[in-house]
Amino acid sequence: MTERAGAGPLRRLVVLRHAKSAWPLDVADHERPLAPRGRRDAPAVGRALAAADCLPDLALCSTAVRARQTWELAAAEWGTPPPVRFDRRLYAASPAGLLAVVHEVSAEVETLLLIGHNPGLEELVLALAGDGLDDTLERVRTKFPTSAVAVLSWHGTTWRALAPGTALLTSVTVPRGKKK
């Protein structure tokens, strides 16, 4: 039996593109760390999510160094960070691949944070959003930069019910840290 989207509790998928990365010579893409700007912006992401009352019950994070560092710096801004699962499948994943990982999440999770990479994340947000508040869809179509956060809301009893066009894009922010 296929579950109908729109039934069940309100769920939120918080999509976070990793913070700005460095490009050191002779370092494989998967191993690239955050740049100084990324090290400033990632904590700002954590503060922004807390201020928006959008803290996750679970985080799914790419295994790439820059994504892991983004998670660590953002989560350090919260009293008690939620559990995190590092998943290699999120690195350079397509929207379908990302959604397949999301579909595995337990029904107990109401707010899920997904940390990964473009173009997959941007394409996932645009695929899932059947509509958006204000100019959110246009903003994602124009650019989904590093440290961008998109919040998709939808109703469903399981994560498997999340499908293209079933969510509402409620906000898009790009938190930035201040230079010292």
Side-chain angles (χ1 to χ4, degrees):
M1 180 167 153
T2 304
E3 179 184 350
R4 179 178 68 82
L10 179 67
R11 297 185 185 277
R12 294 182 299 183
L13 176 62
V14 180
V15 178
L16 167 60
R17 183 175 175 199
H18 65 77
K20 183 72 174 172
S21 61
W23 292 84
L25 294 175
D26 300 322
V27 173
D29 184 72
H30 188 271
E31 305 308 312
R32 290 190 298 116
L34 291 179
R37 188 180 96 196
R39 297 190 71 72
R40 289 190 307 269
D41 291 349
V45 168
R47 291 189 297 274
L49 289 175
D53 195 26
C54 202
L55 296 181
D57 301 313
L58 173 69
L60 298 177
C61 183
S62 163
T63 55
V65 170
R66 60 194 178 275
R68 293 175 69 105
Q69 290 176 335
T70 299
W71 159 252
E72 290 163 3
L73 291 168
E77 297 295 317
W78 309 328
T80 304
V84 60
R85 291 186 201 146
F86 298 101
D87 194 321
R88 177 99 182 171
R89 296 175 295 170
L90 300 177
Y91 174 70
S94 67
L98 293 166
L99 189 56
V101 175
V102 168
H103 281 168
E104 297 172 1
V105 172
S106 167
E108 287 77 37
V109 172
E110 291 183 357
T111 299
L112 175 65
L113 174 62
L114 180 64
I115 306 167
H117 313 269
N118 259 4
L121 289 182
E122 178 179 331
E123 292 169 1
L124 177 69
V125 169
L126 293 173
L128 293 176
D131 200 1
L133 296 181
D134 302 322
D135 66 343
T136 53
L137 281 168
E138 187 56 37
R139 290 179 59 210
V140 174
R141 281 186 197 108
T142 301
K143 187 173 186 182
F144 197 66
T146 55
S147 299
V149 178
V151 180
L152 294 150
S153 296
W154 62 287
H155 288 275
T157 56
T158 69
W159 285 93
R160 195 164 282 291
L162 181 58
T166 61
L168 175 67
L169 183 58
T170 60
S171 70
V172 177
T173 58
V174 185
R176 296 291 188 214
K178 294 181 179 159
K179 287 185 180 180
K180 293 181 181 179

